[in-house]
Amino acid sequence: LNMNGTLAMEDGIEIDHLGLVTYGALFDGVGLNGSYNDLTVDGVVTLNAVTLNGTLSGKGTVNFAGTTAGDGVADMSEGSTVTYNDVADQVVFGGEYYNLVLNGAHTLANDLTVNGEATLTGVQSGTANVVFAGTTAGDGTFNMTEGLVTYGETATNVFGGIYNDLTLNGEKSLTVAEVTVNGALTLDSNLNGTADNTLNMNGTLNAADGIEI
């Protein structure tokens, strides 16, 4: 099913396990609720209640405004943006994102990589491995019980909170009040801060020769 124009539907209409649904580059509106296998978004779509069991792809804008479920995987192209809004029952799909926005609290159970900008608000908890390969923004915090969070060289905004394992690539300056690492903290460059910043290390420290804090 390829939709390149507008969608008019009555309340309660849902989609159910079509092989591939595409919201084309000209699409801009509210999409169909229900169960998707593969979903491609090249336009702008808002989805209010969906289950994804295949691949989420495309170069467009996806706004998950309601519940999300399923074991789907993201494989989003450069220039795309996926937003998860502050809804209690939202699965954050694992995989590859370009721009990712997490508004409010979420549980991260699936490994994910953000290649563009990651914007976080609220508390992000869970057990996933998370890689910030691009830039980071927002006032969100972490409360991770397992997993590794990695900040690439361009991810200069380190979110506060509690980490299991934390890797910082490239020189970083802490701007948040407190960061706690209960597992391994790995540094390949200097870590800067001020008297207002607190770093708690409860596990191990892996630092290259000459690294200073």
Side-chain angles (χ1 to χ4, degrees), residues 59-195:
K59 57 187 178 183
T61 299
V62 185
N63 178 29
F64 290 117
T67 59
T68 57
D71 56 2
V73 176
D75 186 16
M76 298 299 293
S77 300
E78 183 176 354
S80 63
T81 299
V82 177
T83 299
Y84 293 85
N85 281 311
D86 190 4
V87 178
D89 295 324
Q90 279 194 329
V91 170
V92 177
F93 303 115
E96 298 272 339
Y97 294 88
Y98 191 70
N99 297 321
L100 175 65
V101 180
L102 298 178
N103 288 324
H106 293 89
T107 299
L108 306 180
N110 304 303
D111 296 350
L112 60 91
T113 296
V114 186
N115 295 308
E117 182 170 79
T119 303
L120 276 59
T121 67
V123 179
Q124 315 303 320
S125 60
T127 59
N129 297 312
V130 179
V131 177
F132 297 123
T135 59
T136 46
D139 59 359
T141 59
F142 276 108
N143 185 15
M144 303 296 286
T145 56
E146 296 181 20
L148 165 65
V149 178
T150 300
Y151 291 80
E153 291 189 0
T154 56
T156 55
N157 180 45
V158 177
F159 301 109
I162 300 171
Y163 295 84
N164 180 48
D165 295 331
L166 174 63
T167 295
L168 302 178
N169 294 319
E171 188 164 341
K172 299 287 187 286
S173 294
L174 291 183
T175 60
V176 294
E178 189 167 5
V179 170
T180 297
V181 183
N182 290 322
L185 173 61
T186 301
L187 305 173
D188 72 354
S189 297
N190 292 345
L191 178 61
N192 306 313
T194 70

Side-chain angles (χ1 to χ4, degrees), residues 10-14 33:
E10 297 180 1
D11 291 343
I13 297 297
E14 292 188 352
N33 295 335

